[in-house]
């Protein structure tokens, strides 16, 4: 499919291809329709078929200007308008038209609980050593919970939501209830599990360092330099770079240190130096 559509592909972020999943991005709905028609024509002329039921359309408006009274032409396939959604899942992460991570975090929490329930035979077994339970949690459950968190623009409420989820899992695994009046620090220490807030910060800073070591013409660097639209009056929304700035202030780091990879990784690695 990559070979067939090579002449149609645009540089990221306008075209995303992974296996048989395609995302087309444009600044206007008219351009989306042109691109969609071209892709359908080429793919279906080679025996492939674009799904009429799975293909969705999402309109994003980050300018802060209300467009409720402005009609936006909806892209069509075979004369049928595509289903318009306010969020969709791509490669495990949920993208929202508001650029919020709320839905993605809720999906991660749901997925983590499903993974936790599938492993209750191990982590809820009273005869299983605590060390084994902690390792199972760190290697099987927590990666599901914080998948994609490197790019989350997180608020305090978001971190608290994930923290509460983790403590519920650990307390349940250890057979400890709130009535036992055991502090969270003791529960985490028993399982040898670092505070998930520290782990989230470590993941974000690791990714930030990875991006900053890229060339200035690399896509990830160019995305960071995209001009932000004028915001509406009121408190500005939380941004990823704003979250990174707070993380670097907390850990007393400077952007220049990202070029020294060993030292950068050493400085950001505050959680579970001998774990994951």
């Amino acid at each position: 499919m990559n070979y067939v559509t090579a002449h149609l592909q645009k540089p990221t972020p306008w075209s995303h291809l992974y296996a048989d999943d395609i995302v087309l991005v444009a600044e206007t709905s008219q351009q989306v329709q042109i691109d969609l028609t071209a892709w359908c024509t080429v793919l279906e002329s080679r025996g492939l078929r674009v799904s009429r039921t799975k293909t969705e359309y999402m309109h994003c408006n980050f300018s802060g200007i209300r467009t409720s009274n402005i009609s936006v032409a909806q892209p069509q396939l075979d004369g049928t308008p595509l289903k318009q959604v306010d969020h969709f899942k791509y490669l495990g992460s949920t993208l929202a038209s508001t650029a919020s991570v709320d839905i993605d975090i809720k999906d991660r929490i749901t997925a983590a609980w499903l993974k936790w329930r599938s492993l209750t035979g191990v982590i809820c077994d009273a005869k299983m050593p605590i060390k084994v339970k902690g390792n199972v949690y760190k290697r099987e459950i927590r990666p599901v919970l914080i998948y994609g968190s490197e790019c989350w623009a997180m608020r305090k409420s978001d971190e608290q939501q994930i923290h509460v989820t983790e403590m519920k899992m650990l307390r349940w695994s250890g057979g400890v209830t709130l009535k036992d009046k055991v502090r969270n620090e003791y529960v985490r220490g028993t399982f040898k599990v670092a505070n998930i807030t520290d782990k989230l910060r470590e993941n974000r800073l690791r990714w930030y360092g990875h991006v900053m070591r890229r060339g200035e013409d690399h896509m990830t660097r160019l995305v960071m330099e995209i001009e932000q639209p004028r915001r509406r009056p009121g408190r500005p929304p939380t941004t990823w770079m704003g979250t990174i700035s707070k993380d670097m202030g907390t850990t007393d780091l400077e952007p220049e240190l990202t070029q020294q990879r060993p030292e950068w990784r050493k400085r950001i690695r505050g959680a579970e130096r001998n774990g994951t």
Side-chain angles (χ1 to χ4, degrees):
M1 188 170 67
N2 185 56
Y3 173 79
V4 170
T5 62
H7 64 290
L8 293 176
Q9 296 173 25
K10 298 179 181 179
T12 307
W14 308 112
S15 294
H16 298 270
L17 285 82
Y18 185 83
D20 61 343
D21 289 331
I22 304 171
V23 176
L24 303 179
V25 184
E27 296 185 0
T28 65
S29 58
Q30 290 80 6
Q31 186 60 48
V32 171
Q33 180 66 67
I34 294 173
D35 294 344
L36 179 61
T37 302
W39 277 75
C40 286
T41 301
V42 171
L43 290 173
E44 297 186 354
S45 67
R46 299 300 182 92
L48 302 173
R49 178 174 173 80
V50 177
S51 173
R52 269 56 175 171
T53 56
K54 294 181 180 179
T55 304
E56 299 173 336
Y57 165 71
M58 186 172 75
H59 174 250
C60 301
N61 174 32
F62 304 134
S63 65
I65 303 174
R66 295 184 177 181
T67 58
S68 55
N69 297 327
I70 302 176
S71 60
V72 179
Q74 234 171 302
Q76 301 180 357
L77 269 178
D78 298 335
T80 303
L82 298 179
K83 177 183 178 183
Q84 185 167 357
V85 298
D86 56 7
H87 66 274
F88 73 96
K89 182 170 288 188
Y90 185 66
L91 304 184
S93 295
T94 303
L95 308 178
S97 59
T98 58
S100 170
V101 298
D102 294 347
I103 299 176
D104 196 17
I105 290 176
K106 290 179 181 178
D107 286 348
R108 289 292 95 212
I109 291 175
T110 299
W113 274 117
L114 290 174
K115 175 60 72 173
W116 185 89
R117 292 188 182 98
S118 70
L119 295 170
T120 51
V122 176
I123 58 179
C124 290
D125 187 350
K127 298 180 181 180
M128 190 66 63
I130 290 293
K131 182 178 180 180
V132 174
K133 292 183 179 182
N135 286 334
V136 170
Y137 172 79
K138 289 187 289 186
R139 289 165 172 77
E140 297 293 334
I141 300 174
R142 189 172 61 184
V144 177
L145 179 60
I146 63 176
Y147 174 81
S149 62
E150 295 88 345
C151 300
W152 287 349
M154 299 194 71
R155 302 164 298 182
K156 284 290 185 181
S157 58
D158 298 327
E159 293 182 352
Q160 181 64 18
Q161 195 174 3
I162 294 178
H163 176 263
V164 169
T165 300
E166 177 179 72
M167 293 313 304
K168 284 182 179 180
M169 291 178 175
L170 294 179
R171 286 179 177 273
W172 208 335
S173 301
V176 180
T177 67
L178 293 176
K179 293 181 180 179
D180 296 324
K181 297 183 178 180
V182 179
R183 297 179 66 87
N184 291 340
E185 293 79 3
Y186 181 79
V187 175
R188 286 197 299 267
T190 302
F191 284 93
K192 299 293 188 295
V193 173
N195 192 323
I196 198 166
T197 301
D198 297 337
K199 196 65 181 178
L200 288 168
R201 180 171 58 246
E202 179 185 326
N203 285 355
R204 286 193 296 266
L205 290 176
R206 185 177 66 248
W207 176 247
Y208 174 70
H210 177 70
V211 171
M212 293 302 292
R213 287 188 293 272
R214 291 283 192 177
E216 293 185 358
D217 58 344
H218 192 268
M219 182 270 296
T220 52
R221 293 292 297 274
L222 297 176
V223 168
M224 292 175 63
E225 298 171 3
I226 292 178
E227 183 179 355
Q228 298 293 325
R230 292 181 58 186
R231 65 178 182 86
R232 54 182 176 273
R235 184 177 181 178
T238 303
T239 63
W240 184 72
M241 279 305 302
T243 305
I244 291 295
S245 298
K246 292 179 182 177
D247 292 340
M248 296 183 68
T250 301
T251 52
D252 194 23
L253 295 172
E254 297 294 334
E256 294 76 15
L257 190 61
T258 57
Q259 304 306 315
Q260 306 174 29
R261 185 176 183 275
E263 182 65 19
W264 177 260
R265 295 295 295 270
K266 180 182 177 181
R267 294 281 297 276
I268 69 174
R269 190 70 184 271
E272 298 157 9
R273 293 182 180 274
N274 59 345
T276 58

